[in-house]
Amino acid sequence: MGKGASSSSPPPPLSESVMKKILLSYAYVAIWICLSFTVIVYNKYILDKKMYNWPFPISLTMIHMLFCSSLAFFLVRVLKLVEPVSMSRDLYVSSVLPIGALYSLSLWFSNSAYIYLSVSFIQMLKALMPVAVYSIGVLFKKESFKTQSMANMLSISFGVAIAAYGEARFDSWGVILQLSAVAFEATRLVLIQILLTSKGITLNPITSLYYVAPCCLVFLFVQWMIVEFPMLKQTSSFHFDYVIFGTNSLCAFALNLAVFLLVGKTSALTMNVAGVVKDWLLIAFSWSVIKDTVTPVNLVGYGLAFLGVAYYNHSKLQALKAKEAQKKPVQADEEAGRLLEEREGEGMGRKNDPQD
């Protein structure tokens, strides 16, 4: 009877500290989803010809980078809220410059895609990010080639291809822009791992904006002078709306801080999973509020891609668990070794003690 009662007893309630951590994690996820959602829809509103009708993606990205650079400089140099990282000129040129250049191209192309494609279809194309990161990681020898992983990547690509086939408002140029943005962003992420993380340099969002945003702004300025400046000169009737562009830039800056909170307080894997939830919410919002056409073939294709991404995240989680499991025996062996050394030391001390 006693054994039966104990086996059927409910599990002990979670402690207050554990509950607090869980609630905080959900709060970080909710904040990131909300801000990411806001920035995407806000950018779409500004750039789309049927809405605010200001189709200048490089100019919009430059406004974001100028705002982020100025605010980051103010927080680091004036208020001194965070300490700048010790970085030599050679390290800045070899590491930060290429990352800034790729960031400028990624932002330019991703914002440009909103002029030609619906929000829902762009989110479907973004499902190819794990494919791009894995492929570039293999190319740069940061990832090992595995048949199972490649099959997973092909399944995601197949799902996205079906979604593209069923897209009612398909635009070849918009697709090229978005796929280019995914490729540049994936390369940037791999280079961050190679150029900065491998050298022991970690940047929080404020210091990363402090170093990367001005560099990105310079590259954007070169692109802007060639592509958009001649067109803006002809648009003499345009006046700068401080409310629209100010709040839009503030949302972009807040999103960078939210990314740091989410990854720093939880993990990059949590952000990947939250990203899938955000994509579904954006697709639903795009269909119900913006009135973008979402076809059944779209949903079937993205559903297949979603399953592939979910499996990718599951594989990453299992790999992390296996890595943690390997660390524990090593730590236990080290602890046992230290105890053995201490005991041997005590034994030697007793043998050499005249009182023994």
Side-chain angles (χ1 to χ4, degrees):
M1 289 292 291
K3 287 182 181 179
S6 63
S7 62
S8 61
S9 60
L14 295 172
S15 66
E16 188 178 339
S17 61
V18 172
M19 280 297 297
K20 188 177 179 182
K21 285 181 181 178
I22 293 171
L23 291 173
L24 278 174
S25 296
Y26 279 115
Y28 297 139
V29 168
I31 290 168
W32 177 78
I33 288 177
C34 182
L35 285 169
S36 181
F37 190 101
T38 303
V39 169
I40 288 170
V41 174
Y42 211 159
N43 286 352
K44 173 67 175 175
Y45 168 75
I46 291 172
L47 294 166
D48 197 292
K49 294 176 182 178
K50 295 178 183 177
M51 299 181 190
Y52 189 77
N53 191 24
W54 198 67
F56 300 104
I58 303 176
S59 302
L60 180 63
T61 311
M62 281 180 67
I63 293 168
H64 289 172
M65 288 299 104
L66 181 61
F67 182 88
C68 291
S69 299
S70 304
L71 196 52
F73 181 85
F74 182 74
L75 293 173
V76 172
R77 290 298 182 184
V78 180
L79 295 184
K80 300 186 184 299
L81 290 180
V82 291
E83 288 292 325
V85 177
S86 177
M87 189 178 297
S88 65
R89 184 188 297 177
D90 290 342
L91 182 61
Y92 186 88
V93 171
S94 63
S95 300
V96 176
L97 278 183
I99 290 169
L102 289 167
Y103 195 32
S104 70
L105 291 168
S106 169
L107 291 172
W108 171 18
F109 289 139
S110 62
N111 282 334
S112 299
Y114 287 109
I115 300 172
Y116 304 96
L117 303 175
S118 65
V119 171
S120 57
F121 187 43
I122 285 174
Q123 301 316 121
M124 294 175 190
L125 291 175
K126 283 182 180 179
L128 288 170
M129 184 60 76
V131 179
V133 171
Y134 177 76
S135 302
I136 293 167
V138 170
L139 187 65
F140 282 94
K141 297 182 179 178
K142 293 302 292 182
E143 294 274 358
S144 56
F145 180 86
K146 295 177 182 176
T147 307
Q148 186 178 4
S149 299
M150 185 51 68
N152 183 202
M153 298 302 114
L154 289 173
S155 70
I156 296 172
S157 304
F158 181 66
V160 173
I162 293 174
Y165 178 77
E167 174 60 21
R169 207 183 124 192
F170 186 89
D171 186 289
S172 300
W173 180 239
V175 171
I176 290 170
L177 287 170
Q178 184 55 48
L179 293 181
S180 300
V182 168
F184 285 125
E185 179 63 13
T187 308
R188 183 181 77 91
L189 294 173
V190 173
L191 280 187
I192 286 173
Q193 188 181 359
I194 294 172
L195 299 176
L196 293 180
T197 311
S198 62
K199 294 176 183 176
I201 296 173
T202 54
L203 301 173
N204 63 45
I206 296 175
T207 52
S208 65
L209 288 174
Y210 176 76
Y211 289 108
V212 177
C215 171
C216 181
L217 182 61
V218 171
F219 283 108
L220 285 168
F221 180 76
V222 175
Q223 299 156 14
W224 178 77
M225 286 294 294
I226 298 168
V227 179
E228 289 186 2
F229 179 65
M231 291 188 289
L232 280 167
K233 278 176 68 178
Q234 297 173 1
T235 316
S236 56
S237 60
F238 173 76
H239 68 281
F240 190 84
D241 192 327
Y242 287 95
V243 175
I244 291 289
F245 292 105
T247 52
N248 181 248
S249 299
L250 189 61
C251 288
F253 183 81
L255 178 59
N256 280 281
L257 298 182
V259 169
F260 170 67
L261 274 175
L262 184 59
V263 176
K265 300 296 183 180
T266 57
S267 68
L269 185 62
T270 303
M271 184 174 168
N272 286 343
V273 175
V276 174
V277 176
K278 179 204 70 178
D279 290 344
W280 279 112
L281 289 173
L282 276 165
I283 290 169
F285 178 85
S286 176
W287 171 72
S288 60
V289 179
I290 304 177
K291 303 300 180 184
D292 285 333
T293 304
V294 179
T295 66
V297 179
N298 271 150
L299 293 177
V300 168
Y302 184 65
L304 291 172
F306 163 74
L307 291 174
V309 173
Y311 180 77
Y312 169 81
N313 289 332
H314 174 73
S315 301
K316 284 286 184 184
L317 180 61
Q318 295 304 314
L320 283 172
K321 284 182 178 179
K323 196 173 182 181
E324 288 297 322
Q326 285 176 353
K327 282 182 181 178
K328 286 179 181 177
V330 171
Q331 289 171 351
D333 289 344
E334 289 176 353
E335 185 66 27
R338 281 196 295 269
L339 288 171
L340 185 61
E341 286 176 4
E342 287 172 7
R343 286 173 185 170
E344 287 178 351
E346 287 173 4
M348 290 294 291
R350 287 194 187 100
K351 286 178 185 177
N352 295 329
D353 196 332
Q355 293 181 359
D356 283 352

